[in-house]
Amino acid sequence: MTSLLLRSQTKDVFCKLCCVRVSRYKTTQAIREEPKHASHTEATLYVHWPYCARRCTYCNFNKYISKSVEHSRMADCLKKETSTLLQLSGVSQIKSIFFGGGTPSLALPSTIEKVIGTVKGHVTFSERSEVTMEANPTHLETGKLRDFHEAGVNRLSIGIQALNSEDLKILGRDHSVTEALKCVEEAKYIFPGRVSVDLIFGRPGQTVEAWRKELQEVTGMGVNHVSLYQLTLERGTQLFKWVESGQISLPDNETMADMYIAAVEILQEHGLDRYEVSNFSKKGSESEHNQAYWQGSQYIGVGPGAHGRFIPTNVNQSEGDELVREARIQTLEPDNWMFEVEKYGHATRKIVKLSVKNRLEELICLGLRTRGGIANQTWENLAGKSLLQSFGSSERCAQLIEDGLLYLDHSGIRATCKGIIILDSIIPHLLYTLDQEWKQEGVT
């Protein structure tokens, strides 16, 4: 069976697409402009806290180990960049905030509060809006949960990763199974109905039977949301070196696939339905923030290495000028990032203008990961034509539909239960079809 497309939700897809510099695509008639919709006044906010207590053996994310974090300076810079980018985006409402990392539960609660306060001082932000923070379940961080709640966090994503002590050591985690269980119980009391746990499967030596047992333990926790991540080897990590040297080995692709199928079955049996390839929740407990990513909505990225997607407001822009969404990447290294924010108000290191075709490609890569797929109205608003017009005459798509991997009708396009397991085999066909259509229309 083809390997699963289960790597870290949105981050990897955004990074790969954003790091490709693109030019504006032109039709034979005119530049394709960003359609004007009310959604341009709304966005979500991602805030990156770059520091960790230690580096996990499998992780290659933008994170830094520091024993002397300048908390006050970091807080001031996060506030300043949030303020600058909110003004630059021109949005009037932030729909959700997500504090990721790194390990944001190592930040001071006052830092979280200051960022939220900055948002409220510039745009509309409802008290009921989702504010998620990622947290490690160490004793130290669990003790700060109530303070984070008082600072404005109302949803917690806990990185328990495994309920096996030996596996936690191999992964380089700095918490114990006992600490993880205590953290979940404390979080359920402080954030009722809004607790998510992260799990990694495909760990060295892991069997399907052991994974099924672990999932039963997880469902017994009574959480409303579970995120699954297939362990993958990232060059430069300690885990990669161990596998390359033959010290340890990961399960094969067939076993990985069996683990994923087992997870779907067990989680759904306990009321946690799959609403995205890697995410399962009870009804009404889906992550509002992540759904905005998958639906192609605007988002603002603040902090070292953060990514954003929004249409900037240009004071020199005249009436009728085209609206172009930009992919923005902030400076990676924290010290350099702080220096640039203090000097310029923000530390955007790279800007890539996204054509309509780029937007559609992202929508395919992300939207098909979800239970609902891509709505026809969403596609039509951007492409100027329906999904049936774009893919209905494609022989490749027809074959995918005949094979029971894809649904396509007037309401939208989505992967079947069979198809969602092998999305990495389906998506290239759709991207190819889109590319051919674009060429036929004379896009250069």
Side-chain angles (χ1 to χ4, degrees):
M1 183 178 291
T2 307
S3 61
L4 304 172
L5 182 65
L6 294 175
R7 179 67 177 129
S8 193
Q9 292 168 260
T10 56
K11 290 182 180 178
D12 288 350
V13 178
F14 290 158
C15 288
K16 290 173 183 176
L17 288 173
C18 191
C19 289
V20 179
R21 184 165 293 280
V22 296
S23 60
R24 295 181 188 176
Y25 287 81
K26 298 181 180 180
T27 65
T28 54
Q29 297 178 331
I31 296 174
R32 290 198 175 189
E33 299 178 3
E34 172 82 6
K36 298 182 180 181
H37 300 297
S39 60
H40 292 161
T41 64
E42 301 175 343
T44 57
L45 178 70
Y46 173 80
V47 182
H48 189 76
W49 180 263
Y51 301 110
C52 285
R54 63 191 295 184
R55 182 171 289 278
C56 298
T57 62
Y58 57 90
C59 182
N60 71 339
F61 287 165
N62 184 43
K63 59 173 59 176
Y64 301 84
I65 314 303
S66 175
K67 296 181 179 179
S68 57
V69 176
E70 297 180 80
H71 283 278
S72 178
R73 189 180 176 203
M74 273 296 297
D76 288 342
C77 286
L78 287 173
K79 284 177 54 182
K80 191 169 187 176
E81 187 167 69
T82 297
S83 175
T84 300
L85 295 183
L86 282 174
Q87 293 178 65
L88 182 62
S89 72
V91 300
S92 58
Q93 180 180 6
I94 289 294
K95 300 177 69 176
S96 64
I97 303 174
F98 193 103
F99 291 92
T103 309
S105 51
L106 292 176
L108 298 178
S110 59
T111 296
I112 305 299
E113 185 175 22
K114 288 174 182 177
V115 174
I116 297 173
T118 300
V119 173
K120 291 179 178 179
H122 284 80
V123 298
T124 300
F125 186 71
S126 170
E127 294 295 332
R128 298 185 298 275
S129 296
E130 182 183 276
V131 181
T132 302
M133 185 182 75
E134 294 179 337
N136 278 348
T138 65
H139 174 72
L140 173 64
E141 291 158 87
T142 298
K144 296 162 62 178
L145 294 185
R146 192 173 297 279
D147 292 333
F148 283 122
H149 182 261
E150 292 178 358
V153 175
N154 56 31
R155 183 177 181 273
L156 200 69
S157 178
I158 306 173
I160 64 173
Q161 314 306 8
L163 290 176
N164 177 293
S165 297
E166 288 304 312
D167 286 358
L168 287 175
K169 291 179 181 178
I170 292 174
L171 295 175
R173 303 295 294 173
D174 55 358
H175 68 270
S176 66
V177 173
T178 299
E179 285 180 311
L181 296 175
K182 287 183 178 179
C183 182
V184 170
E185 286 305 308
E186 182 73 7
K188 284 164 53 182
Y189 179 75
I190 298 173
F191 307 94
R194 284 189 156 185
V195 176
S196 176
V197 297
D198 292 353
L199 291 172
I200 293 176
F201 70 95
R203 308 188 296 261
Q206 189 179 29
T207 64
V208 176
E209 182 180 356
W211 174 234
R212 293 181 70 91
K213 182 179 178 181
E214 193 168 0
L215 287 166
Q216 294 291 352
E217 292 182 64
V218 171
T219 56
M221 292 179 175
V223 296
N224 289 56
H225 192 283
V226 174
S227 295
L228 300 182
Y229 301 92
Q230 178 180 320
L231 184 60
T232 57
L233 291 178
E234 301 291 349
R235 188 173 296 276
T237 63
Q238 184 61 55
L239 183 66
F240 182 89
K241 295 175 184 176
W242 285 338
V243 173
E244 283 288 288
S245 66
Q247 291 179 257
I248 60 175
S249 61
L250 301 185
D252 58 32
N253 285 339
E254 289 295 329
T255 302
M256 294 276 202
D258 288 342
M259 287 181 181
Y260 177 72
I261 292 170
V264 175
E265 293 174 352
I266 292 172
L267 292 174
Q268 289 186 337
E269 285 173 3
H270 291 82
L272 292 157
D273 293 326
R274 177 177 59 190
Y275 71 100
E276 191 268 348
V277 173
S278 303
N279 288 272
F280 303 74
S281 77
K282 293 184 178 178
K283 187 175 182 180
S285 295
E286 298 85 355
S287 169
E288 296 172 13
H289 186 87
N290 284 340
Q291 286 188 102
Y293 291 149
W294 301 323
Q295 293 165 2
S297 300
Q298 290 195 124
Y299 63 97
I300 299 167
V302 168
H307 287 226
R309 293 279 197 283
F310 62 85
I311 300 171
T313 298
N314 188 335
V315 294
N316 296 318
Q317 194 174 50
S318 61
E319 185 71 24
D321 279 354
E322 62 172 317
L323 300 172
V324 179
R325 183 180 291 200
E326 294 179 348
R328 305 172 71 93
I329 307 175
Q330 308 310 103
T331 294
L332 291 173
E333 205 278 331
D335 287 342
N336 292 338
W337 173 82
M338 286 188 284
F339 173 80
E340 291 174 27
V341 171
E342 289 167 342
K343 186 173 182 179
Y344 305 111
H346 67 88
T348 300
R349 178 58 62 93
K350 184 176 183 180
I351 298 176
V352 179
K353 295 189 181 299
L354 299 175
S355 68
V356 172
K357 182 171 181 261
N358 299 143
R359 296 279 312 284
L360 294 173
E361 288 169 340
E362 289 188 352
L363 196 56
I364 290 172
C365 290
L366 300 178
L368 280 181
R369 294 176 60 92
T370 65
R371 177 173 54 199
I374 304 169
N376 186 67
Q377 190 61 58
T378 301
W379 184 271
E380 195 167 308
N381 286 343
L382 192 55
K385 61 175 65 177
S386 70
L387 281 159
L388 281 172
Q389 288 173 310
S390 292
F391 299 104
S393 60
S394 166
E395 292 183 6
R396 292 186 178 217
C397 293
Q399 188 62 54
L400 292 171
I401 294 170
E402 185 178 335
D403 292 342
L405 302 175
L406 203 64
Y407 289 121
L408 173 63
D409 55 28
H410 291 286
S411 63
I413 187 170
R414 65 184 177 90
T416 65
C417 291
K418 179 182 175 183
I420 204 166
I421 298 176
I422 54 170
L423 273 179
D424 51 351
S425 295
I426 294 174
I427 287 176
H429 292 292
L430 299 180
L431 293 176
Y432 175 82
T433 300
L434 176 66
D435 186 62
Q436 293 304 300
E437 176 195 33
W438 227 247
K439 289 179 180 177
Q440 290 173 8
E441 291 184 358
V443 180
T444 58

